[in-house]
Amino acid sequence: MTPTVTGMAAGAVLAFAGLAFGFWGFLLTALLMGTGALLGRSAEGKLDFRGVRDALTGRRSSS
């Protein structure tokens, strides 16, 4: 799936959640989608949690 199609699908899901469940349903859906995306990238091996932690704590720069 291309990034454009993925973004459109995510936008459609968030729009539906906002219409059906209101603001808090929208936020919960966005949070769960973000969590799922992080876990998916980790499972594919495209995300290193140690590197992210080190960058957030200032041990290593992102540049």
Side-chain angles (χ1 to χ4, degrees), residues 9-48:
V13 168
L14 289 173
F16 177 75
L19 289 173
F21 305 114
F23 179 72
W24 295 110
F26 169 82
L27 285 181
L28 180 63
T29 303
L31 177 70
L32 292 175
M33 287 175 71
T35 302
L38 285 174
L39 291 175
R41 289 192 59 90
S42 176
E44 288 178 348
K46 293 183 177 180
L47 179 65
D48 178 24

Side-chain angles (χ1 to χ4, degrees), residues 53-61:
R53 185 193 66 210
D54 288 346
L56 290 175
T57 58
R59 294 183 183 173
R60 185 177 2 160
S61 68

